[in-house]
């Protein structure tokens, strides 16, 4: 058993100016890291994690994947303490080391490792994410979690805790297996079912597979950086050198979209122009009222009917206007605590709902430097309880953590 072909591709997506993901494609080790933090910090964090893993491979066997992840964590912490611009940065990491018959996986955060065996796709790693936590404690259903505005918020990351807990798992590999490592920029945009069909369709070329996966995430909105690393296990003894089919070095395979296609800050995930659509959304019922009857009655009767319907239409429009006004007044008063696309705790005005995945009934009114991953699990469950509060209460809950955690 040995590693066959491999391919990797990282893309900034369609909404982010920068690509904060990093990946490692150094057989026998593959990894993805998804950085977070302000300015350049996310890129620095994910790169530090990737470099620690690459160095472990270059140092030669035996490679300890968990020790290499912990080394990355140590370096990120060290950098956070000495470089104010990098304070509070963090990264996920999902690393797979291919051994003789087993794969050793080290994992922190919400990047994922998948295995395609036959035509079955299986997620091997658990998500260390707020939404996954809320599902496990019964506060959200898996369906609610799928379109949840805070699905990108992670609860465990490198860089936030000296003693980071690293999940370690071993899986037995078989010839024919295809493994996919990816950042959440893929999985929040493309469901497992589509990931599976793309991998099955493009199985003969892993390079085509990673391109198709990235393209699918961009076609679905490309709201975050997208990174995919694929490799296959084949029968036979390990050759001295396996070049794979993608001749480009990892850096050359990285594509960054032009800056004009991106917007900055948290608002990359919620452009301000979505707000007026809340007002426009409920107008559909009014448009459906004057629908033509299937058989054409005489002109006089039609006019007569239209007159009789007029008071109802006016009444309906008035009701609608009242409902919209009440809805907007309610949205402007309620606040909840959540976390933005970069994992920072934030106070939102409105309710934590999205309509048709594009219309958001909330907007950030305050973004804190505190990362959700810096809080303990009980603290997170308490803070992100989805209760609606006044702005003052929501802000004071967040500020209490700031006093404790911000250096
Ligand atoms: Ca991400």
């Amino acid at each position: 058993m040995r590693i066959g072909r491999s391919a990797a591709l990282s893309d900034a997506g369609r909404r982010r100016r920068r690509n904060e993901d990093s990946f490692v494609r150094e057989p026998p080790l593959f990894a993805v890291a998804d950085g977070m933090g302000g300015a350049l910090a996310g890129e620095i964090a994910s790169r530090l994690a990737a470099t620690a893993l690459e160095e472990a491979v270059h140092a030669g066997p035996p490679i300890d994947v968990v020790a290499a992840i912990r080394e990355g964590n140590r370096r990120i912490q060290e950098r956070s303490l000495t470089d104010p611009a990098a304070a509070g940065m963090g990264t996920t990491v999902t690393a797979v080391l291919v051994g003789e018959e087993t794969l050793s996986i080290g994992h922190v955060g919400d990047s994922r490792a998948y295995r395609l065996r036959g035509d079955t796709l299986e997620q091997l790693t658990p998500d260390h994410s707020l939404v996954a936590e809320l599902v496990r404690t019964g506060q959200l259903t898996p369906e609610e979690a799928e379109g949840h505005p805070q699905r990108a918020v992670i609860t465990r990351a490198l860089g936030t805790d000296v003693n980071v807990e690293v999940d370690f798992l071993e899986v037995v590999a078989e010839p024919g297996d295809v493994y996919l490592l990816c950042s959440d920029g893929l999985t929040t945009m493309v469901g497992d079912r589509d990931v599976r069909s793309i991998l099955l369709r493009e199985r003969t070329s892993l390079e085509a597979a990673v391109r198709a996966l990235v393209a699918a995430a961009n076609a679905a909105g490309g709201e975050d950086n997208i990174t995919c690393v694929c490799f296959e296990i084949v029968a036979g003894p390990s050759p001295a050198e396996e070049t794979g089919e993608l001749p480009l070095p990892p850096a050359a395979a990285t594509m960054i979209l032009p800056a004009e296609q991106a917007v900055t800050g948290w608002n990359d995930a919620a452009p301000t122009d979505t707000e007026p659509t809340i007002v426009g959304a409920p107008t559909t019922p009014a448009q459906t009222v004057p629908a033509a009857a299937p058989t054409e009655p005489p002109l006089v009767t039609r006019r007569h009917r239209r007159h009789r319907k007029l008071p109802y239409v006016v009444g309906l429009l008035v009701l609608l206007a009242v409902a919209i006004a009440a809805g907007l007044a309610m949205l402007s008063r309620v606040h909840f605590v959540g976390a933005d696309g970069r994992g920072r705790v934030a106070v939102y005005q409105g309710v934590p709902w999205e309509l048709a995945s594009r219309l958001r009934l909330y907007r950030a009114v305050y973004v804190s430097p505190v990362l959700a991953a810096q809080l303990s699990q009980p603290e997170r469950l308490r803070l992100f309880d989805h209760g609606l509060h006044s702005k003052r209460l929501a802000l004071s809950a967040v500020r209490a953590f700031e006093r404790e955690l911000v250096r």
Side-chain angles (χ1 to χ4, degrees):
M1 199 190 78
R2 62 185 174 87
I3 300 165
R5 298 159 306 162
S6 67
L9 186 61
S10 188
D11 187 288
R14 296 176 61 194
R15 317 268 283 182
R16 301 277 170 99
R17 192 186 294 277
R18 316 196 66 93
N19 190 345
E20 299 186 315
D21 288 358
S22 293
F23 65 84
V24 178
R25 183 168 154 244
E26 293 274 347
L29 193 142
F30 301 89
V32 293
D34 175 353
M36 61 189 182
L40 290 166
E43 279 160 271
I44 296 170
S46 70
R47 198 59 247 158
L48 284 170
T51 306
L53 287 162
E54 282 162 356
E55 284 177 15
V57 177
H58 298 154
I63 301 166
D64 182 338
V65 70
V66 172
I69 288 174
R70 286 194 198 287
E71 175 58 16
N73 183 54
R74 195 193 60 74
R75 293 181 192 180
I76 295 165
Q77 287 238 306
E78 193 179 74
R79 179 71 178 265
S80 305
L81 292 172
T82 53
D83 179 357
M89 67 179 174
T91 185
T92 73
V93 67
T94 300
V96 179
L97 176 70
V98 183
E100 288 289 307
E101 265 143 29
T102 58
L103 265 53
S104 305
I105 304 175
H107 169 68
V108 177
D110 69 346
S111 298
R112 291 180 180 176
Y114 285 96
R115 173 178 64 202
L116 181 73
R117 177 172 287 173
D119 56 8
T120 306
L121 183 76
E122 193 185 340
Q123 183 183 335
L124 301 174
T125 48
D127 294 344
H128 301 142
S129 71
L130 177 63
V131 163
E133 225 167 59
L134 293 171
V135 169
R136 282 194 289 269
T137 56
Q139 282 168 276
L140 283 181
T141 65
E143 294 71 38
E144 285 168 334
E146 219 157 82
H148 198 275
Q150 279 145 35
R151 56 190 180 271
V153 176
I154 57 175
T155 52
R156 226 196 276 178
L158 298 195
T160 56
D161 183 353
V162 201
N163 302 308
V164 65
E165 192 185 337
V166 181
D167 280 6
F168 177 74
L169 43 145
E170 272 186 315
V171 295
V172 177
E174 282 179 11
D177 284 352
V178 174
Y179 292 86
L180 166 68
L181 309 183
C182 57
S183 60
D184 71 328
L186 175 72
T187 49
T188 54
M189 294 283 110
V190 184
D192 284 8
R193 195 193 297 191
D194 291 332
V195 169
R196 174 181 166 273
S197 44
I198 291 169
L199 285 175
L200 284 172
R201 195 180 69 221
E202 307 290 353
R203 201 172 190 154
T204 50
S205 163
L206 296 185
E207 187 191 354
V210 293
R211 284 191 191 285
L213 290 168
V214 168
N218 275 326
E223 294 202 358
D224 196 359
N225 307 146
I226 310 144
T227 301
C228 298
V229 177
C230 255
F231 63 93
E232 63 176 4
I233 300 295
V234 295
S238 188
E241 177 70 1
E242 177 59 55
T243 52
E245 63 174 28
L246 194 67
L248 299 174
T254 303
M255 302 190 297
I256 309 278
L257 287 178
E260 63 266 23
Q261 292 187 27
V263 288
T264 52
W266 178 78
N267 291 317
D268 358 337
T272 47
D273 62 3
T274 57
E275 226 184 346
T277 49
I278 298 171
V279 181
T283 55
T284 331
Q287 289 161 357
T288 60
V289 174
T295 51
E296 288 274 301
L299 188 64
V300 180
T301 321
R302 261 163 57 201
R303 194 175 293 151
H304 181 62
R305 279 187 187 164
R306 205 168 282 167
H307 276 295
R308 275 172 49 193
K309 275 183 180 169
L310 194 63
Y312 294 103
V313 173
V314 170
L316 199 64
L317 287 174
V318 168
L319 274 178
L320 205 61
V322 170
I324 290 171
L328 287 177
M330 192 269 284
L331 285 180
S332 70
R333 282 183 162 190
V334 294
H335 292 77
F336 67 96
V337 179
D340 72 2
R342 293 165 195 274
R344 294 168 302 194
V345 173
V347 173
Y348 294 91
Q349 183 185 53
V351 290
W353 300 337
E354 286 178 17
L355 303 177
S357 88
R358 302 299 296 173
L359 309 181
R360 296 176 165 101
L361 302 186
Y362 56 89
R363 68 187 182 102
V365 290
Y366 176 71
V367 178
S368 163
V370 171
L371 290 169
Q374 284 176 278
L375 308 176
S376 70
Q377 194 203 31
E379 285 169 343
R380 278 194 300 271
L381 294 179
R382 211 168 57 233
L383 193 62
F384 303 117
D385 63 351
H386 288 79
L388 300 173
H389 314 278
S390 72
K391 187 176 182 181
R392 192 178 57 80
L393 274 179
L395 278 173
S396 71
V398 171
R399 296 230 158 95
F401 287 109
E402 284 177 7
R403 282 194 291 277
E404 205 179 312
L405 294 167
V406 178
R407 286 186 285 265

